[in-house]
Amino acid sequence: MDNSLYRCCTLCPRQCGANRVNGETGFCGETADLRIAAMLPHFGEEPCLVGKHGSGTVFFTGCSCGCFFCQNYQLSQQHVGKIFSLEEFLTALRELIAKGVHNINFVTPDHFWPHIAAACRQLRDEGYDIPFLWNCSGYSNAELVPEQAKLIDVFMPDFKYALPELAETCMGDREYPRIAFAAIERMVDGTGFLRPWDASGEILATHGTIVRHLVLPGQLENSIRTLDILYEHFGPGLPLSIMSQFQPMPECERLGLFTSKIKPDIYEKVLAHAQELGFYRLFAQVGGGDDSFAPDFTSDNPFGNNNVKR
Ligand code: SF4
Ligand code: SF4
């Protein structure tokens, strides 16, 4: 495996320059040791990525985005997880595939790209043709995307913040909107739109890009601006997933920010705006989220009994 990218690390927009091979950590909090909190068939993604047997999801430890309200804060901020060698990672991936999952879904993957690239290449060499999914925050190094698009079949970036001041408050970088847009543009350039498209989930998607947006409490303007930017640049054919699953985490209470769930009328307004713009490949969520979106990664079964096909 080529671990040179872990030296003087610039794998994400934080550009820390940490020598992770020597055990240093940057903003993401991870060295060059691959750390994973959970690998399992997961049913919490969009229906066209879940199918009958689930998405083979790999939850990496650490995140370079660092949103204070993170529902996966046990991974992103408390660094729950176990270290895997590349061989152990490959063995676990083969075991996951043997369970019948429809894809391999790398969650918050940017800071472990060298391991992921090596694993994807090895699995392809062994003849596995299962789609590889890149399930990321949008806070990605756009220069790496063309290389990633050679191995990754489906990009599912978030576009979390269209307003610089909101990005500053939530994750400390007011450049997020510009950075995420540049990365998403390259993801779409590299793979096109998500396809085949079937909102019912009967036919599984295997290629392309779908953009996700989580509506935040009291942040209607951010969501409207997000949709406007995406519409202006990609048109109404861009596949979109608009999520309502926000749940206040302990840090929200401490900061006194985002202390409630999404109000249904706000979510409805966001959906209505997407429909007015004419987006026609759209996933929406019913209700305002439930406990299945607040996993416990200290448990062997992080999603409990909620990890079932919806
Ligand atoms: S991946 Fe981690 S160490 Fe590398 S630049 Fe990003 S935050 Fe810094
Ligand atoms: S990008 Fe996602 S995983 Fe990372 S801190 Fe923000 S909400 Fe958490």
Side-chain angles (χ1 to χ4, degrees), residues 62-73 76-77 108 136-137 158 160-161:
C63 178
S64 59
C65 215
C67 314
F68 75 84
F69 56 78
C70 181
Q71 68 191 9
N72 290 349
Y73 69 97
S76 62
Q77 281 139 43
T108 321
C136 68
S137 65
D158 290 340
K160 303 174 93 64
Y161 316 109

Side-chain angles (χ1 to χ4, degrees), residues 134-164:
W134 190 261
N135 187 341
C136 68
S137 65
Y139 192 57
S140 298
N141 181 346
E143 286 178 15
L144 292 176
V145 172
E147 200 57 33
Q148 291 163 344
K150 292 178 187 166
L151 286 168
I152 299 297
D153 301 288
V154 173
F155 285 98
M156 21 193 327
D158 290 340
F159 194 0
K160 303 174 93 64
Y161 316 109
L163 305 180

Side-chain angles (χ1 to χ4, degrees), residues 136-283:
C136 68
S137 65
Y139 192 57
S140 298
N141 181 346
E143 286 178 15
L144 292 176
V145 172
E147 200 57 33
Q148 291 163 344
K150 292 178 187 166
L151 286 168
I152 299 297
D153 301 288
V154 173
F155 285 98
M156 21 193 327
D158 290 340
F159 194 0
K160 303 174 93 64
Y161 316 109
L163 305 180
E165 54 279 15
L166 183 65
E168 174 75 42
T169 300
C170 293
M171 47 77 73
D173 188 351
R174 60 184 294 108
E175 295 299 316
Y176 174 99
R178 179 185 60 74
I179 288 168
F181 178 76
I184 291 169
E185 198 171 36
R186 289 203 174 182
M187 291 172 194
V188 173
D189 280 352
T191 62
F193 291 163
L194 188 72
R195 61 195 180 280
W197 177 261
D198 176 23
S200 73
E202 291 298 314
I203 302 169
L204 294 175
T206 56
H207 291 87
T209 298
I210 178 170
V211 177
R212 296 163 131 190
H213 175 70
L214 175 67
V215 181
L216 294 167
Q219 299 299 325
L220 178 62
E221 188 193 344
N222 181 57
S223 293
I224 298 294
R225 186 70 196 121
T226 296
L227 293 175
D228 289 344
I229 290 172
L230 293 174
Y231 175 77
E232 282 160 20
H233 291 278
F234 300 109
L238 178 73
L240 271 184
S241 180
I242 302 180
M243 301 179 289
S244 63
Q245 69 194 46
F246 178 87
Q247 293 213 48
M249 292 290 128
E251 189 66 2
C252 298
E253 210 56 56
R254 200 184 68 77
L255 294 173
L257 280 174
F258 301 173
T259 52
S260 63
K261 290 186 177 184
I262 307 301
K263 292 198 168 48
D265 64 316
I266 298 290
Y267 186 63
E268 290 303 323
K269 282 181 185 162
V270 177
L271 286 186
H273 190 64
Q275 282 157 353
E276 278 160 22
L277 290 171
F279 283 108
Y280 56 89
R281 295 180 176 123
L282 193 58
F283 284 111

